[in-house]
Amino acid sequence: MKTLSFLLVLVSTTTFSQSLLWKVSGNGLKKPSYLFGTYHIMKDSYLNQNPKIKSAYEGAEGVVVETEVDSSAMLSMAMRGLMLDKSLDKLLSQTDYKLVADEFKKGTGYDLALFNQMKPIVTATMLSLAYVQKESDTLNSFTGLPLDLYFASDGRKRRKTVSALETMEEQMAFLFDHDPVEKQAQHLVEMVKEKDEMHDMSKSVTELYLKQDLQGMWKLNEKSGNTFGNMTYLLDERNHNWMKRLPGLMASRPTFVAVGALHLPGPQGLIELLKKEGYQVEPQ
């Protein structure tokens, strides 16, 4: 499902070592930087059982994340998620709307009517999150802040230089505005009709992440894309945009780069893109 790809965010055509942490060196870097694949809803106590990741982070002078929460932009972001001239009950048939409404209530506890004028991708993302959280007792056993938020907030406390690869508005534009709302609504219905497969995928996501199995995650993402619609623009386009900034950030100081794990592998993934620029990228 498209929103499942957004949650994970990965890719690869070659066999990868089972590692989420990669050392980036060479190409003029005085000291190595590190690339780490996060799982956006994994909590930071996960790091306690992964000393290599924690050590790489603590030793870095700079931290790079996908984006940082900007309170001044929250209203603008909320407005971007709205359909002011349309509503979900008008985009769907009565039968499909009831199907989605029943599943949404079951999954999230909320009435779909409350989100009738939210873009369907927002509703789908909420439902995807509910699936992942309910399918994994292991995931729920971790505590603290979501990993990406932890690295940004703790990095500032440690007086590291914290940088974002894109603004909240840029990130939300990729999610909310890339597809027309009519297409988003179709994918929402597909997701609900294939809910059993979605539940299975959601459970597998956490298991593969805990195994640090990038290849397995890529294969799952490929299956998800073939079943529910491709969402590679969330990965490939953003990776190329980020490569305009990453070399300069790593050249300025040893940097810990924390982005969604699905951004790492694949022909358009950050590992391959960094190698093409002349860096050595090695699993840790």
Side-chain angles (χ1 to χ4, degrees):
M1 193 351 245
K2 298 181 74 177
T3 49
L4 181 63
S5 297
F6 173 70
L7 262 181
L8 296 173
V9 186
L10 259 137
V11 187
S12 167
T13 57
T14 58
T15 300
F16 273 80
S17 300
Q18 288 192 192
S19 179
L20 298 171
L21 181 68
W22 296 69
K23 183 171 75 171
V24 183
S25 60
N27 199 25
L29 293 182
K30 295 179 180 179
K31 294 182 179 180
S33 289
Y34 288 88
L35 178 63
F36 172 61
T38 71
Y39 183 12
H40 295 318
I41 58 176
M42 177 67 74
K43 301 296 180 62
D44 68 76
S45 68
Y46 166 79
L47 299 175
N48 295 334
Q49 63 188 45
N50 292 276
K52 283 187 178 181
I53 299 170
K54 201 167 186 178
S55 177
Y57 161 68
E58 291 177 350
E61 296 175 12
V63 175
V64 172
V65 293
E66 292 185 19
T67 191
E68 284 198 86
V69 176
D70 180 358
S71 57
S72 66
M74 293 301 287
L75 179 59
S76 174
M77 296 304 96
M79 292 300 293
R80 185 180 285 277
L82 288 174
M83 301 184 291
L84 298 178
D85 57 346
K86 296 180 181 179
S87 60
L88 187 59
D89 60 347
K90 298 296 190 296
L91 292 173
L92 300 179
S93 68
Q94 187 175 359
T95 300
D96 284 345
Y97 184 83
K98 185 179 187 308
L99 181 74
V100 173
D102 289 346
E103 183 65 15
F104 191 74
K105 178 70 173 180
K106 179 181 177 182
T108 69
Y110 294 108
D111 290 328
L112 186 60
L114 297 173
F115 301 89
N116 207 29
Q117 288 193 278
M118 299 298 294
K119 291 178 179 176
I121 190 68
V122 177
T123 303
T125 300
M126 291 178 65
L127 195 51
S128 291
L129 281 166
Y131 285 159
V132 173
Q133 291 169 337
K134 287 184 177 181
E135 288 299 320
S136 177
D137 292 335
T138 303
L139 182 64
N140 294 329
S141 70
F142 292 100
T143 59
L145 296 173
L147 282 175
D148 306 74
L149 179 58
Y150 168 79
F151 289 127
S153 60
D154 187 74
R156 292 196 186 284
K157 290 178 184 177
R158 294 173 183 262
R159 300 189 181 280
K160 298 178 186 290
T161 301
V162 179
S163 306
L165 291 169
E166 59 195 14
T167 65
M168 282 181 61
E169 186 163 354
E170 288 171 334
Q171 189 176 84
M172 292 302 102
F174 272 102
L175 181 64
F176 292 161
D177 299 334
H178 189 276
D179 288 338
V181 293
E182 290 80 7
K183 189 174 182 180
Q184 293 179 27
Q186 291 173 9
H187 284 298
L188 174 59
V189 174
E190 290 172 12
M191 173 184 174
V192 172
K193 287 182 177 179
E194 300 291 340
K195 64 181 180 180
D196 290 340
E197 187 170 353
M198 279 296 299
H199 280 292
D200 291 341
M201 286 186 177
S202 297
K203 185 175 181 180
S204 297
V205 165
T206 301
E207 293 174 351
L208 291 167
Y209 187 83
L210 292 173
K211 292 178 182 176
Q212 302 197 30
D213 186 354
L214 287 183
Q215 184 76 355
M217 294 174 75
W218 174 69
K219 289 179 180 178
L220 182 65
N221 187 63
E222 288 286 282
K223 180 180 179 181
S224 169
N226 291 335
T227 303
F228 299 106
N230 198 294
M231 219 175 184
T232 55
Y233 66 86
L234 274 175
L235 304 171
D236 298 352
E237 291 182 28
R238 295 165 74 206
N239 286 346
H240 283 277
N241 287 340
W242 294 350
M243 282 299 297
K244 297 172 185 177
R245 298 203 60 200
L246 277 177
L249 291 167
M250 293 188 300
S252 62
R253 61 185 60 84
T255 298
F256 183 84
V257 182
V259 295
L262 280 167
H263 287 283
L264 270 59
Q268 305 302 320
L270 292 177
I271 292 172
E272 290 301 318
L273 294 179
L274 286 166
K275 286 181 177 179
K276 287 178 181 178
E277 290 293 318
Y279 296 97
Q280 294 178 348
V281 189
E282 304 164 298
Q284 298 301 291

